[in-house]
DNA sequence: AAAACTACCTGAGTGC
DNA sequence: TGCACTCAGGTAGTTT
């Protein structure tokens, strides 16, 4: 499931192939994504690609006339291929480039999107009210502590809310809370500033380390060259229900929180 | 304002 | 082998 490290890995992977190329062809085999693929993208051929950036889990591809917003949803991936590579069942979109390569968008569950955001992409409705990047100077202990004040919501729900901080999905939320030794159901407003400081640091460490591993591959995620990410081997609680805690050997528990599976150690996390 | 919940989608896995 | 069913999850949008 693409979370921030997977999107960052994808961005870094495709950027060298896209920057300073010209779009020679734009192919949409199936426009039915979360929202229909934007019709403005039909004008991409002959345009130059200026840069590829990431904001939250959105990939921003900057062309001369504006920016495309690409989201991988839950099962999306982008690969660099040769144009004559056999299409796979859920390859929905392709962007052919002047360097002879092709960018392929694959998304079995079709929860992703390809939208047009014009010349001021950060003002697009999907981007303008997002919280700070977790790996960036705006995500401070004071900020996170203030966001928690008076909030009765479980801390896991709060850190997964993109208006608080972007990029922390279900996997990394469980992992960060384990490392910070905070119970996922703990009321956000009841946590001390010291533990919030610890949590802010563990969120950053987990995400940064996962990026060095190329992200986490559970099922679908592949890098731009088709290879998996290796952070799965580093997961301490996610997906380990009834397995021993790596710290105290208690049985890892799974609960449902905000409709999502949540893993934690009942002894280490209070 | 905040919290809780829904919808969107397909493949994998399970039980009969 | 096949059918019916559940589960997984990012996040915008709706309801309480």
């Amino acid at each position: 499931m693409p979370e921030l490290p997977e999107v960052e890995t994808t961005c870094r992977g495709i950027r060298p192939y896209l920057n300073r190329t010209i779009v020679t062809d734009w192919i949409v085999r199936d426009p039915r994504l979360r929202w229909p693929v934007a019709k403005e993208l039909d004008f991409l051929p002959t345009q130059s690609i200026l840069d590829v950036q990431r904001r939250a889990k959105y990939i921003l591809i900057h062309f001369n006339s504006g920016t495309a917003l690409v989201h991988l949803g839950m099962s999306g991936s982008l690969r660099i291929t040769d144009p004559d590579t056999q299409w796979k069942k859920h390859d929905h979109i392709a962007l052919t480039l002047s360097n002879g390569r092709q960018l392929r968008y694959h998304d079995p569950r079709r929860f992703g999107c390809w939208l047009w955001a014009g010349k001021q992409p950060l003002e697009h409705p999907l981007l303008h009210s997002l919280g700070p990047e977790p790996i960036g100077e705006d995500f401070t202990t004071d900020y996170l502590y203030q966001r928690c004040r008076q909030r009765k919501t479980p801390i896991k729900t709060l850190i997964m809310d993109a208006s608080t901080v972007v990029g922390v999905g279900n996997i990394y939320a469980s992992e960060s809370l384990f490392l910070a030794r905070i119970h996922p159901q703990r009321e956000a407003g009841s946590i001390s500033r010291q533990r919030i400081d610890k949590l802010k640091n563990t969120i950053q460490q987990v995400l940064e380390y996962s990026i060095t591993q190329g992200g986490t591959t559970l099922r679908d995620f592949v890098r731009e060259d088709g290879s998996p990410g290796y952070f799965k081997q580093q997961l301490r609680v996610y997906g380990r229900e009834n397995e021993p805690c790596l710290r105290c050997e208690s049985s890892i528990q799974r609960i449902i929180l905000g409709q999502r599976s949540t893993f934690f150690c009942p002894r280490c996390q209070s």
Side-chain angles (χ1 to χ4, degrees):
Chain A
M1 321 305 148
E3 297 189 28
L4 188 142
E6 292 74 42
V7 179
E8 179 64 25
T9 296
T10 297
C11 240
R12 291 182 186 182
I14 66 174
R15 185 179 292 125
Y17 296 94
L18 267 58
N19 280 9
R20 296 181 302 281
T21 63
I22 293 168
V23 179
T24 58
D25 200 10
W26 165 247
I27 304 161
V28 180
R29 298 171 88 217
D30 189 343
R32 298 173 303 161
L33 299 182
R34 178 168 191 181
W35 298 284
V37 175
K39 294 303 284 180
E40 289 92 334
L41 298 167
D42 291 344
F43 296 102
L44 287 180
T46 75
Q47 294 225 18
S48 297
I49 299 180
L50 309 178
D51 200 8
V52 178
Q53 293 181 315
R54 180 188 60 74
R55 170 69 175 117
K57 295 176 193 167
Y58 291 90
I59 296 168
L60 283 64
I61 306 177
H62 299 291
F63 302 90
N64 2 25
S65 73
T67 298
L69 293 187
V70 180
H71 200 291
L72 302 177
M74 291 197 295
S75 58
S77 57
L78 288 167
R79 294 181 68 169
I80 301 291
T81 65
D82 289 318
D84 54 5
T85 300
Q86 179 92 41
W87 288 77
K88 296 202 290 184
K89 184 175 178 189
H90 297 289
D91 283 350
H92 304 312
I93 293 172
L95 196 61
T96 314
L97 307 168
S98 55
N99 60 8
R101 312 306 293 272
Q102 196 172 62
L103 179 71
R104 289 270 179 99
Y105 178 75
H106 180 87
D107 187 2
R109 275 164 270 186
R110 293 193 278 114
F111 276 13
C113 65
W114 278 74
L115 300 176
W116 184 249
K119 294 221 171 197
Q120 302 291 336
L122 297 180
E123 291 170 20
H124 188 279
L126 293 172
L127 301 188
H128 93 274
S129 57
L130 291 173
E133 289 288 328
I135 303 168
E137 55 190 31
D138 293 340
F139 186 54
T140 62
T141 303
D142 281 332
Y143 167 80
L144 185 57
Y145 185 60
Q146 285 309 317
R147 289 286 301 199
C148 289
R149 294 294 77 201
Q150 320 287 11
R151 297 289 300 273
K152 293 187 180 300
T153 202
I155 185 65
K156 175 173 182 256
T157 307
L158 185 135
I159 61 174
M160 288 180 66
D161 178 347
S163 71
T164 299
V165 60
V166 302
V168 183
N170 204 37
I171 297 171
Y172 298 111
S174 282
E175 293 298 308
S176 302
L177 288 164
F178 172 76
L179 292 172
R181 304 188 64 181
I182 300 171
H183 194 292
Q185 274 177 313
R186 181 79 181 270
E187 194 175 295
S190 76
I191 304 172
S192 71
R193 190 181 182 287
Q194 191 175 9
R195 299 194 93 188
I196 290 293
D197 178 57
K198 175 75 175 164
L199 176 59
K200 173 232 158 210
N201 287 326
T202 59
I203 288 171
Q204 294 182 324
Q205 286 159 11
V206 165
L207 295 175
E208 283 174 356
Y209 187 63
S210 182
I211 290 169
T212 72
Q213 300 299 298
T216 301
T217 296
L218 290 182
R219 286 190 199 84
D220 306 295
F221 177 71
V222 290
R223 303 169 65 156
E224 85 291 344
D225 60 357
S227 65
Y230 295 106
F231 191 73
K232 184 179 179 186
Q233 295 145 10
Q234 311 294 328
L235 296 177
R236 290 164 165 93
V237 287
Y238 187 87
R240 299 192 61 242
E241 183 179 18
N242 297 328
E243 290 178 41
C245 170
L246 298 172
R247 190 175 162 277
C248 78
E249 300 189 344
S250 298
S251 228
I252 298 298
Q253 292 191 3
R254 181 175 81 100
I255 56 172
I256 302 298
L257 221 168
Q259 339 274 76
R260 292 289 177 260
S261 279
T262 301
F263 300 87
F264 68 101
C265 171
R267 189 160 161 200
C268 294
Q269 296 172 259
S270 58

